[in-house]
Amino acid sequence: MDSNALLHELSLPKLPSNMIPQKFIWPKEKNNHADDIANLEELNEPVVDLEGFYNGDTESTRVTAELVRSACLSHGLFQVINHGVDMELINTVNDHVRDFFNLPIDEKMRVQREPDSFWGYSFAHADRFSLNLPWKETISCFFHGNGAPRDSEATAFFKSAFRQEFEHKGLIFEKYCEAMKNLSLTIMEILGISLGVNRSYFKEFFEDGSSIMRCNFYPPCQEPDLALGTGPHCDPTALTILHQDQVGGLQVFSENKWKSVKPRPNALVINLGDTFAALSNGVYKSCEHRAVVNEKMARVSLVFFMCPREDKVIVPPKELVKKRQRLYPDFKWSEYLRFTQKHYRVDIATLQNFITWLVSHHTT
């Protein structure tokens, strides 16, 4: 089934459950949506105020590091306020993203993501998968270490997506990703403090890293108990910064059950991914999460993934292996990235399966 046909089915008015396209129906063990979402327990994640840290206040920095540590030891997610990212910039990007997703399907398909590319539009990832499709549309952008995507692929994407406004809107996306990169490096500094290593260690490790921006649109779903906007998974990247609207739908698996992450005005959600879990030698957790959909309201989220430079070797600092056995062998970020793009659909066990695959390939 091609993307046009899938979009037609997704846009149909309310249908009996047996008419939901089979490709969008998730197995119950992955979608225990029968939990009453309206009354789902909220995750008690810390909301970290970064103002004191930015001002160099010693006590505020200590408290900030402790809050981050408690979250990362438990489930790998926290929220930040006074984060230094201009909310007007965030809202502008959000408006541009909504404008794009409101375009007719044929216009969106002009920038359909090509195989082996991080750039472009995808409908339900139907170009990669055939079952358990997510109930969403996405656009993705890849930004190099210097934050600017000044190459032909980037120019072609923004020109096709935004026509005569491509240069202006492209610059806004660049500015957004630059702001998120700066915030990511701040979080990396706090993570270093919280783990008892040199506070600049992780910040310097990621300074020349690349990043991926993904914008998600979750349409209303006529049978939300059968579908998922995004299935249960841990991000393979190092750090994720999420701006979610006030609709809600993000859930984290904690204490053997799913808990909702409450949208908070002017806050950004931070969660750790597999790469940082490996860098911390398993001290910190990669956040297991998913996105649910609802029957009445569309939802938009802006997701920024922080990645190392592709040739960087993922190896924890010596302070984290003195009293703790190495949990993962050394690997390059490019190897893990290739594994998720070519060999494996990301889920909650991606890192473990990658290590098994890596060891088997290095010993043959």
Side-chain angles (χ1 to χ4, degrees):
M1 183 182 293
D2 63 23
S3 295
N4 287 312
L6 280 170
L7 183 65
H8 175 68
E9 292 194 70
L10 191 63
S11 304
L12 290 175
K14 186 173 177 65
L15 296 170
S17 61
N18 62 0
M19 294 185 69
I20 291 290
Q22 184 66 36
K23 294 172 185 287
F24 290 99
I25 297 177
W26 285 70
K28 289 189 186 245
E29 63 269 20
K30 293 188 178 180
N31 184 20
N32 50 339
H33 211 296
D35 299 335
D36 186 351
I37 292 178
N39 298 312
L40 197 69
E41 180 182 348
E42 287 185 2
L43 184 71
N44 187 28
E45 83 281 7
V47 179
V48 182
D49 189 337
L50 295 182
E51 184 174 14
F53 177 81
Y54 281 130
N55 290 336
D57 183 88
T58 302
E59 178 61 16
S60 293
T61 297
R62 183 190 66 79
V63 172
T64 294
E66 286 185 357
L67 289 172
V68 168
R69 181 175 177 82
S70 67
C72 295
L73 288 172
S74 177
H75 44 65
L77 182 142
F78 54 96
Q79 300 202 44
V80 293
I81 57 174
N82 291 319
H83 41 68
V85 182
D86 184 2
M87 289 306 302
E88 184 176 347
L89 173 63
I90 293 174
N91 292 333
T92 299
V93 172
N94 193 68
D95 289 343
H96 291 334
V97 168
R98 288 181 181 272
D99 289 344
F100 176 84
F101 284 123
N102 284 331
L103 291 172
I105 182 61
D106 57 334
E107 292 192 40
K108 289 184 282 193
M109 293 299 289
R110 286 201 317 264
V111 289
Q112 183 176 20
R113 192 173 68 190
E114 299 294 332
D116 301 322
S117 173
F118 289 104
W119 286 92
Y121 168 78
S122 175
F123 181 81
H125 297 323
D127 54 325
R128 295 187 62 195
F129 310 117
S130 58
L131 292 174
N132 299 337
L133 295 183
W135 195 270
K136 68 177 178 181
E137 302 172 55
T138 68
I139 52 174
S140 301
C141 312
F142 180 83
F143 291 81
H144 298 291
N146 59 5
R150 292 296 189 181
D151 56 31
S152 58
E153 190 175 24
T155 301
F157 167 77
F158 285 113
K159 196 167 188 176
S160 296
F162 299 115
R163 297 295 180 95
Q164 67 272 19
E165 296 183 316
F166 82 94
E167 188 165 1
H168 170 67
K169 291 185 177 181
L171 288 172
I172 290 174
F173 273 74
E174 287 182 34
K175 187 176 180 181
Y176 179 88
C177 285
E178 182 180 354
M180 291 299 167
K181 172 77 174 285
N182 290 336
L183 176 57
S184 296
L185 295 177
T186 295
I187 300 298
M188 287 297 170
E189 190 173 354
I190 295 169
L191 288 168
I193 296 169
S194 73
L195 282 165
V197 304
N198 187 308
R199 65 185 291 163
S200 65
Y201 182 89
F202 296 118
K203 181 179 180 180
E204 292 175 355
F205 187 90
F206 287 96
E207 274 182 336
D208 57 356
S210 57
S211 55
I212 301 167
M213 180 179 178
R214 180 161 295 150
C215 310
N216 298 312
F217 173 70
Y218 303 94
C221 178
Q222 56 265 38
E223 295 290 342
D225 57 324
L226 297 179
L228 280 172
T230 303
H233 70 288
C234 298
D235 296 333
T237 48
L239 184 79
T240 303
I241 303 178
L242 168 73
H243 177 262
Q244 57 174 343
D245 60 21
Q246 297 302 301
V247 174
L250 175 63
Q251 296 181 351
V252 167
F253 197 72
S254 176
E255 299 177 324
N256 294 314
K257 56 187 172 181
W258 289 104
K259 299 182 181 182
S260 64
V261 179
K262 180 181 179 180
R264 302 178 188 275
N266 301 327
L268 293 169
V269 177
I270 312 291
N271 71 262
L272 298 188
D274 290 342
T275 297
F276 196 88
L279 270 175
S280 74
N281 196 29
V283 174
Y284 281 174
K285 289 188 176 181
S286 183
C287 179
E288 181 179 344
H289 58 287
R290 69 181 185 180
V292 299
V293 290
N294 69 81
E295 190 174 0
K296 296 181 179 179
M297 299 184 70
R299 175 175 178 257
V300 169
S301 65
L302 308 177
V303 191
F304 177 88
F305 299 105
M306 184 67 188
C307 314
R309 198 179 67 220
E310 288 193 12
D311 62 350
K312 280 286 182 74
V313 177
I314 308 304
V315 54
K318 61 181 183 301
E319 293 93 335
L320 300 181
V321 297
K322 284 180 179 178
K323 299 180 181 179
R324 184 182 177 94
Q325 184 179 357
R326 281 289 299 273
L327 295 187
Y328 310 101
D330 295 356
F331 62 89
K332 288 185 178 180
W333 163 241
S334 58
E335 294 176 305
Y336 194 25
L337 181 63
R338 189 181 313 114
F339 178 74
T340 63
Q341 298 299 307
K342 298 283 190 181
H343 304 291
Y344 193 85
R345 182 174 182 175
V346 170
D347 60 14
I348 64 173
T350 310
L351 182 57
Q352 293 85 343
N353 284 299
F354 165 68
I355 297 303
T356 301
W357 175 87
L358 183 71
V359 171
S360 66
H361 279 69
H362 281 190
T363 57
T364 56

Short mmCIF file of all heavy atoms in Angstrom, two decimals, residues 153-205:
data_model
loop_
_atom_site.label_atom_id
_atom_site.label_comp_id
_atom_site.label_asym_id
_atom_site.label_seq_id
_atom_site.Cartn_x
_atom_site.Cartn_y
_atom_site.Cartn_z
N GLU A 153 21.33 19.05 -0.42
CA GLU A 153 20.17 18.30 0.05
C GLU A 153 19.28 19.16 0.93
O GLU A 153 18.05 19.15 0.82
CB GLU A 153 20.63 17.06 0.82
CG GLU A 153 19.50 16.08 1.15
CD GLU A 153 20.01 14.81 1.80
OE1 GLU A 153 21.10 14.83 2.40
OE2 GLU A 153 19.30 13.80 1.71
N ALA A 154 19.89 19.95 1.80
CA ALA A 154 19.13 20.83 2.68
C ALA A 154 18.41 21.90 1.88
O ALA A 154 17.21 22.16 2.09
CB ALA A 154 20.07 21.49 3.70
N THR A 155 19.11 22.53 0.95
CA THR A 155 18.50 23.58 0.14
C THR A 155 17.33 23.03 -0.66
O THR A 155 16.26 23.65 -0.74
CB THR A 155 19.55 24.20 -0.81
OG1 THR A 155 20.62 24.74 -0.03
CG2 THR A 155 18.93 25.29 -1.66
N ALA A 156 17.51 21.86 -1.25
CA ALA A 156 16.45 21.24 -2.05
C ALA A 156 15.23 20.94 -1.18
O ALA A 156 14.08 21.15 -1.60
CB ALA A 156 16.96 19.96 -2.70
N PHE A 157 15.47 20.48 0.05
CA PHE A 157 14.35 20.15 0.95
C PHE A 157 13.54 21.40 1.27
O PHE A 157 12.31 21.42 1.10
CB PHE A 157 14.86 19.51 2.23
CG PHE A 157 13.81 19.43 3.31
CD1 PHE A 157 12.83 18.46 3.25
CD2 PHE A 157 13.81 20.33 4.36
CE1 PHE A 157 11.85 18.39 4.24
CE2 PHE A 157 12.84 20.27 5.35
CZ PHE A 157 11.86 19.29 5.28
N PHE A 158 14.20 22.44 1.77
CA PHE A 158 13.47 23.64 2.18
C PHE A 158 12.81 24.33 1.00
O PHE A 158 11.71 24.88 1.13
CB PHE A 158 14.41 24.59 2.92
CG PHE A 158 14.73 24.15 4.32
CD1 PHE A 158 16.02 23.77 4.67
CD2 PHE A 158 13.75 24.09 5.29
CE1 PHE A 158 16.32 23.36 5.96
CE2 PHE A 158 14.03 23.67 6.59
CZ PHE A 158 15.32 23.30 6.92
N LYS A 159 13.45 24.28 -0.16
CA LYS A 159 12.86 24.92 -1.33
C LYS A 159 11.60 24.19 -1.77
O LYS A 159 10.59 24.82 -2.12
CB LYS A 159 13.88 24.94 -2.48
CG LYS A 159 13.53 25.90 -3.61
CD LYS A 159 14.71 26.10 -4.53
CE LYS A 159 14.42 27.19 -5.55
NZ LYS A 159 15.59 27.48 -6.40
N SER A 160 11.62 22.87 -1.72
CA SER A 160 10.44 22.09 -2.11
C SER A 160 9.34 22.17 -1.06
O SER A 160 8.16 22.20 -1.40
CB SER A 160 10.83 20.62 -2.32
OG SER A 160 11.73 20.48 -3.39
N ALA A 161 9.73 22.21 0.21
CA ALA A 161 8.73 22.20 1.28
C ALA A 161 8.05 23.55 1.45
O ALA A 161 6.83 23.60 1.71
CB ALA A 161 9.40 21.79 2.60
N PHE A 162 8.79 24.65 1.27
CA PHE A 162 8.24 25.96 1.61
C PHE A 162 8.23 26.95 0.44
O PHE A 162 7.97 28.13 0.64
CB PHE A 162 9.01 26.55 2.79
CG PHE A 162 8.92 25.70 4.03
CD1 PHE A 162 10.05 25.09 4.55
CD2 PHE A 162 7.71 25.51 4.68
CE1 PHE A 162 9.98 24.30 5.70
CE2 PHE A 162 7.62 24.73 5.81
CZ PHE A 162 8.75 24.12 6.32
N ARG A 163 8.57 26.47 -0.75
CA ARG A 163 8.50 27.28 -1.98
C ARG A 163 9.21 28.61 -1.80
O ARG A 163 10.36 28.68 -1.41
CB ARG A 163 7.03 27.46 -2.39
CG ARG A 163 6.30 26.16 -2.74
CD ARG A 163 6.90 25.52 -3.98
NE ARG A 163 6.24 24.32 -4.35
CZ ARG A 163 5.26 24.22 -5.25
NH1 ARG A 163 4.82 25.31 -5.87
NH2 ARG A 163 4.73 23.05 -5.54
N GLN A 164 8.50 29.72 -2.10
CA GLN A 164 9.16 31.02 -2.13
C GLN A 164 9.65 31.47 -0.76
O GLN A 164 10.50 32.37 -0.66
CB GLN A 164 8.23 32.09 -2.73
CG GLN A 164 7.01 32.42 -1.89
CD GLN A 164 5.83 31.53 -2.19
OE1 GLN A 164 6.00 30.44 -2.75
NE2 GLN A 164 4.63 31.97 -1.82
N GLU A 165 9.13 30.87 0.31
CA GLU A 165 9.57 31.24 1.65
C GLU A 165 10.67 30.32 2.17
O GLU A 165 11.00 30.33 3.36
CB GLU A 165 8.37 31.20 2.62
CG GLU A 165 7.29 32.22 2.31
CD GLU A 165 6.19 32.17 3.35
OE1 GLU A 165 5.76 31.06 3.73
OE2 GLU A 165 5.76 33.25 3.80
N PHE A 166 11.24 29.50 1.28
CA PHE A 166 12.16 28.45 1.72
C PHE A 166 13.37 29.01 2.47
O PHE A 166 13.81 28.46 3.48
CB PHE A 166 12.61 27.58 0.55
CG PHE A 166 13.74 28.14 -0.27
CD1 PHE A 166 15.06 27.80 0.00
CD2 PHE A 166 13.48 29.01 -1.32
CE1 PHE A 166 16.09 28.31 -0.75
CE2 PHE A 166 14.50 29.52 -2.08
CZ PHE A 166 15.82 29.17 -1.80
N GLU A 167 13.92 30.14 1.98
CA GLU A 167 15.14 30.64 2.61
C GLU A 167 14.87 31.16 4.01
O GLU A 167 15.58 30.84 4.97
CB GLU A 167 15.77 31.74 1.75
CG GLU A 167 17.14 32.16 2.25
CD GLU A 167 17.91 32.97 1.21
OE1 GLU A 167 17.36 33.22 0.12
OE2 GLU A 167 19.05 33.34 1.53
N HIS A 168 13.78 31.92 4.15
CA HIS A 168 13.41 32.47 5.45
C HIS A 168 13.09 31.36 6.45
O HIS A 168 13.62 31.34 7.57
CB HIS A 168 12.20 33.39 5.28
CG HIS A 168 11.58 33.83 6.58
ND1 HIS A 168 12.23 34.64 7.47
CD2 HIS A 168 10.37 33.53 7.12
CE1 HIS A 168 11.44 34.84 8.52
NE2 HIS A 168 10.31 34.17 8.34
N LYS A 169 12.26 30.40 6.03
CA LYS A 169 11.87 29.33 6.96
C LYS A 169 13.04 28.39 7.22
O LYS A 169 13.17 27.87 8.34
CB LYS A 169 10.66 28.58 6.40
CG LYS A 169 9.40 29.44 6.41
CD LYS A 169 8.16 28.68 5.98
CE LYS A 169 6.92 29.55 6.07
NZ LYS A 169 5.69 28.84 5.67
N GLY A 170 13.87 28.17 6.22
CA GLY A 170 15.04 27.33 6.43
C GLY A 170 15.96 27.91 7.49
O GLY A 170 16.48 27.20 8.34
N LEU A 171 16.12 29.23 7.47
CA LEU A 171 16.96 29.90 8.47
C LEU A 171 16.36 29.79 9.87
O LEU A 171 17.08 29.67 10.87
CB LEU A 171 17.16 31.37 8.09
CG LEU A 171 18.09 31.62 6.89
CD1 LEU A 171 18.06 33.09 6.50
CD2 LEU A 171 19.51 31.18 7.20
N ILE A 172 15.02 29.82 9.94
CA ILE A 172 14.36 29.68 11.24
C ILE A 172 14.60 28.28 11.80
O ILE A 172 14.88 28.11 13.00
CB ILE A 172 12.86 29.99 11.11
CG1 ILE A 172 12.66 31.48 10.85
CG2 ILE A 172 12.10 29.54 12.36
CD1 ILE A 172 11.23 31.88 10.58
N PHE A 173 14.51 27.26 10.95
CA PHE A 173 14.78 25.90 11.40
C PHE A 173 16.24 25.77 11.87
O PHE A 173 16.52 25.11 12.87
CB PHE A 173 14.50 24.90 10.28
CG PHE A 173 13.06 24.46 10.22
CD1 PHE A 173 12.07 25.29 9.74
CD2 PHE A 173 12.69 23.19 10.66
CE1 PHE A 173 10.75 24.89 9.68
CE2 PHE A 173 11.38 22.78 10.61
CZ PHE A 173 10.39 23.63 10.12
N GLU A 174 17.15 26.38 11.14
CA GLU A 174 18.56 26.36 11.54
C GLU A 174 18.75 27.02 12.90
O GLU A 174 19.46 26.51 13.78
CB GLU A 174 19.41 27.08 10.50
CG GLU A 174 19.60 26.32 9.20
CD GLU A 174 20.50 27.10 8.24
OE1 GLU A 174 21.42 27.78 8.72
OE2 GLU A 174 20.27 27.02 7.03
N LYS A 175 18.10 28.18 13.08
CA LYS A 175 18.22 28.90 14.34
C LYS A 175 17.66 28.06 15.48
O LYS A 175 18.23 28.02 16.58
CB LYS A 175 17.47 30.24 14.24
CG LYS A 175 17.67 31.15 15.43
CD LYS A 175 16.98 32.50 15.21
CE LYS A 175 17.18 33.42 16.41
NZ LYS A 175 16.49 34.72 16.21
N TYR A 176 16.56 27.38 15.24
CA TYR A 176 15.96 26.51 16.26
C TYR A 176 16.92 25.39 16.64
O TYR A 176 17.14 25.14 17.84
CB TYR A 176 14.65 25.93 15.71
CG TYR A 176 13.94 24.99 16.65
CD1 TYR A 176 13.02 25.48 17.59
CD2 TYR A 176 14.16 23.62 16.62
CE1 TYR A 176 12.36 24.63 18.45
CE2 TYR A 176 13.51 22.76 17.49
CZ TYR A 176 12.61 23.28 18.41
OH TYR A 176 11.96 22.42 19.27
N CYS A 177 17.50 24.74 15.64
CA CYS A 177 18.41 23.64 15.93
C CYS A 177 19.69 24.11 16.60
O CYS A 177 20.25 23.41 17.45
CB CYS A 177 18.71 22.85 14.66
SG CYS A 177 17.31 21.80 14.17
N GLU A 178 20.14 25.30 16.27
CA GLU A 178 21.31 25.86 16.94
C GLU A 178 21.00 26.10 18.41
O GLU A 178 21.83 25.81 19.29
CB GLU A 178 21.73 27.17 16.27
CG GLU A 178 22.98 27.78 16.87
CD GLU A 178 23.38 29.07 16.18
OE1 GLU A 178 22.76 29.43 15.16
OE2 GLU A 178 24.34 29.72 16.67
N ALA A 179 19.79 26.62 18.70
CA ALA A 179 19.40 26.85 20.10
C ALA A 179 19.30 25.53 20.85
O ALA A 179 19.71 25.43 22.02
CB ALA A 179 18.07 27.60 20.14
N MET A 180 18.76 24.51 20.20
CA MET A 180 18.63 23.20 20.85
C MET A 180 20.00 22.55 21.05
O MET A 180 20.24 21.87 22.05
CB MET A 180 17.72 22.29 20.03
CG MET A 180 16.27 22.70 20.02
SD MET A 180 15.56 22.68 21.69
CE MET A 180 14.03 23.58 21.43
N LYS A 181 20.90 22.77 20.12
CA LYS A 181 22.26 22.25 20.28
C LYS A 181 22.92 22.89 21.50
O LYS A 181 23.55 22.20 22.32
CB LYS A 181 23.07 22.54 19.01
CG LYS A 181 24.57 22.22 19.08
CD LYS A 181 24.84 20.75 18.95
CE LYS A 181 26.35 20.46 18.87
NZ LYS A 181 26.95 20.78 17.57
N ASN A 182 22.76 24.19 21.66
CA ASN A 182 23.35 24.88 22.81
C ASN A 182 22.75 24.37 24.11
O ASN A 182 23.48 24.16 25.10
CB ASN A 182 23.14 26.39 22.68
CG ASN A 182 23.98 27.01 21.57
OD1 ASN A 182 25.01 26.46 21.19
ND2 ASN A 182 23.53 28.14 21.04
N LEU A 183 21.43 24.17 24.12
CA LEU A 183 20.79 23.63 25.32
C LEU A 183 21.28 22.21 25.59
O LEU A 183 21.54 21.84 26.75
CB LEU A 183 19.27 23.65 25.18
CG LEU A 183 18.48 23.03 26.33
CD1 LEU A 183 18.80 23.69 27.66
CD2 LEU A 183 16.97 23.09 26.04
N SER A 184 21.45 21.42 24.54
CA SER A 184 21.96 20.06 24.70
C SER A 184 23.32 20.05 25.38
O SER A 184 23.59 19.23 26.27
CB SER A 184 22.09 19.36 23.33
OG SER A 184 20.85 19.20 22.72
N LEU A 185 24.19 20.96 24.97
CA LEU A 185 25.53 21.02 25.56
C LEU A 185 25.47 21.46 27.02
O LEU A 185 26.26 21.00 27.85
CB LEU A 185 26.41 21.96 24.74
CG LEU A 185 26.70 21.49 23.31
CD1 LEU A 185 27.53 22.53 22.55
CD2 LEU A 185 27.40 20.14 23.30
N THR A 186 24.50 22.32 27.35
CA THR A 186 24.29 22.68 28.75
C THR A 186 23.87 21.46 29.56
O THR A 186 24.40 21.21 30.66
CB THR A 186 23.22 23.77 28.87
OG1 THR A 186 23.68 24.97 28.23
CG2 THR A 186 22.88 24.08 30.33
N ILE A 187 22.94 20.69 29.02
CA ILE A 187 22.48 19.48 29.70
C ILE A 187 23.63 18.49 29.84
O ILE A 187 23.78 17.82 30.88
CB ILE A 187 21.31 18.84 28.95
CG1 ILE A 187 20.12 19.81 28.84
CG2 ILE A 187 20.89 17.53 29.62
CD1 ILE A 187 19.54 20.23 30.17
N MET A 188 24.49 18.40 28.83
CA MET A 188 25.64 17.50 28.91
C MET A 188 26.58 17.91 30.04
O MET A 188 27.14 17.06 30.74
CB MET A 188 26.40 17.49 27.58
CG MET A 188 25.68 16.74 26.46
SD MET A 188 25.48 14.99 26.87
CE MET A 188 24.37 14.48 25.55
N GLU A 189 26.71 19.20 30.24
CA GLU A 189 27.55 19.68 31.35
C GLU A 189 26.95 19.27 32.69
O GLU A 189 27.66 18.80 33.60
CB GLU A 189 27.71 21.20 31.26
CG GLU A 189 28.75 21.76 32.20
CD GLU A 189 29.01 23.25 31.97
OE1 GLU A 189 28.46 23.81 30.99
OE2 GLU A 189 29.75 23.84 32.78
N ILE A 190 25.64 19.42 32.82
CA ILE A 190 24.96 19.03 34.05
C ILE A 190 25.05 17.52 34.26
O ILE A 190 25.26 17.06 35.39
CB ILE A 190 23.49 19.50 34.01
CG1 ILE A 190 23.42 21.03 33.99
CG2 ILE A 190 22.70 18.93 35.19
CD1 ILE A 190 22.05 21.58 33.69
N LEU A 191 24.93 16.75 33.20
CA LEU A 191 25.05 15.30 33.31
C LEU A 191 26.44 14.91 33.81
O LEU A 191 26.59 13.98 34.60
CB LEU A 191 24.75 14.64 31.96
CG LEU A 191 23.28 14.64 31.53
CD1 LEU A 191 23.15 14.23 30.07
CD2 LEU A 191 22.44 13.73 32.42
N GLY A 192 27.46 15.61 33.31
CA GLY A 192 28.82 15.35 33.78
C GLY A 192 28.96 15.59 35.27
O GLY A 192 29.52 14.77 36.01
N ILE A 193 28.41 16.72 35.74
CA ILE A 193 28.46 17.03 37.18
C ILE A 193 27.72 15.95 37.97
O ILE A 193 28.21 15.46 39.00
CB ILE A 193 27.83 18.41 37.44
CG1 ILE A 193 28.64 19.51 36.75
CG2 ILE A 193 27.72 18.68 38.94
CD1 ILE A 193 27.95 20.87 36.74
N SER A 194 26.55 15.56 37.47
CA SER A 194 25.72 14.60 38.20
C SER A 194 26.37 13.22 38.28
O SER A 194 26.08 12.45 39.21
CB SER A 194 24.34 14.49 37.54
OG SER A 194 24.41 13.79 36.31
N LEU A 195 27.23 12.89 37.34
CA LEU A 195 27.89 11.59 37.34
C LEU A 195 29.26 11.62 38.01
O LEU A 195 29.94 10.60 38.09
CB LEU A 195 28.04 11.08 35.90
CG LEU A 195 26.77 10.49 35.27
CD1 LEU A 195 26.92 10.36 33.76
CD2 LEU A 195 26.44 9.13 35.89
N GLY A 196 29.67 12.79 38.46
CA GLY A 196 30.94 12.90 39.17
C GLY A 196 32.15 12.85 38.27
O GLY A 196 33.26 12.53 38.73
N VAL A 197 31.99 13.21 37.00
CA VAL A 197 33.14 13.28 36.10
C VAL A 197 33.43 14.76 35.82
O VAL A 197 32.68 15.64 36.25
CB VAL A 197 32.88 12.51 34.78
CG1 VAL A 197 32.50 11.07 35.07
CG2 VAL A 197 31.78 13.17 33.94
N ASN A 198 34.49 15.02 35.10
CA ASN A 198 34.79 16.40 34.73
C ASN A 198 33.58 17.02 34.06
O ASN A 198 33.04 16.46 33.10
CB ASN A 198 36.00 16.41 33.79
CG ASN A 198 36.50 17.81 33.50
OD1 ASN A 198 35.73 18.70 33.11
ND2 ASN A 198 37.79 18.03 33.69
N ARG A 199 33.14 18.17 34.54
CA ARG A 199 31.89 18.76 34.05
C ARG A 199 31.92 19.06 32.55
O ARG A 199 30.87 19.19 31.92
CB ARG A 199 31.53 20.01 34.84
CG ARG A 199 32.48 21.17 34.70
CD ARG A 199 32.09 22.32 35.63
NE ARG A 199 30.85 22.97 35.23
CZ ARG A 199 30.13 23.76 36.03
NH1 ARG A 199 30.51 23.95 37.29
NH2 ARG A 199 29.04 24.35 35.60
N SER A 200 33.10 19.19 31.98
CA SER A 200 33.20 19.49 30.56
C SER A 200 33.33 18.23 29.69
O SER A 200 33.34 18.33 28.46
CB SER A 200 34.39 20.41 30.29
OG SER A 200 35.62 19.76 30.60
N TYR A 201 33.42 17.05 30.31
CA TYR A 201 33.73 15.84 29.55
C TYR A 201 32.69 15.58 28.46
O TYR A 201 33.03 15.45 27.28
CB TYR A 201 33.82 14.64 30.49
CG TYR A 201 34.19 13.35 29.78
CD1 TYR A 201 35.52 12.99 29.62
CD2 TYR A 201 33.21 12.51 29.24
CE1 TYR A 201 35.87 11.82 28.95
CE2 TYR A 201 33.56 11.35 28.57
CZ TYR A 201 34.88 11.01 28.43
OH TYR A 201 35.22 9.86 27.75
N PHE A 202 31.43 15.47 28.83
CA PHE A 202 30.39 15.14 27.85
C PHE A 202 30.11 16.34 26.93
O PHE A 202 29.82 16.14 25.74
CB PHE A 202 29.11 14.70 28.55
CG PHE A 202 29.26 13.42 29.34
CD1 PHE A 202 29.08 13.40 30.70
CD2 PHE A 202 29.60 12.24 28.69
CE1 PHE A 202 29.22 12.23 31.43
CE2 PHE A 202 29.75 11.05 29.40
CZ PHE A 202 29.56 11.05 30.78
N LYS A 203 30.21 17.53 27.46
CA LYS A 203 30.01 18.71 26.62
C LYS A 203 31.03 18.73 25.49
O LYS A 203 30.66 18.95 24.32
CB LYS A 203 30.13 19.97 27.48
CG LYS A 203 29.91 21.27 26.70
CD LYS A 203 30.00 22.47 27.63
CE LYS A 203 29.77 23.77 26.85
NZ LYS A 203 29.86 24.96 27.75
N GLU A 204 32.28 18.49 25.80
CA GLU A 204 33.31 18.48 24.76
C GLU A 204 33.13 17.29 23.81
O GLU A 204 33.41 17.40 22.62
CB GLU A 204 34.69 18.44 25.41
CG GLU A 204 35.03 19.73 26.14
CD GLU A 204 36.36 19.65 26.88
OE1 GLU A 204 36.97 18.55 26.90
OE2 GLU A 204 36.78 20.68 27.46
N PHE A 205 32.66 16.17 24.34
CA PHE A 205 32.45 14.99 23.50
C PHE A 205 31.43 15.26 22.40
O PHE A 205 31.55 14.75 21.28
CB PHE A 205 31.97 13.83 24.38
CG PHE A 205 31.89 12.51 23.67
CD1 PHE A 205 32.97 11.65 23.64
CD2 PHE A 205 30.72 12.11 23.03
CE1 PHE A 205 32.90 10.42 22.98
CE2 PHE A 205 30.63 10.88 22.38
CZ PHE A 205 31.73 10.04 22.36
#
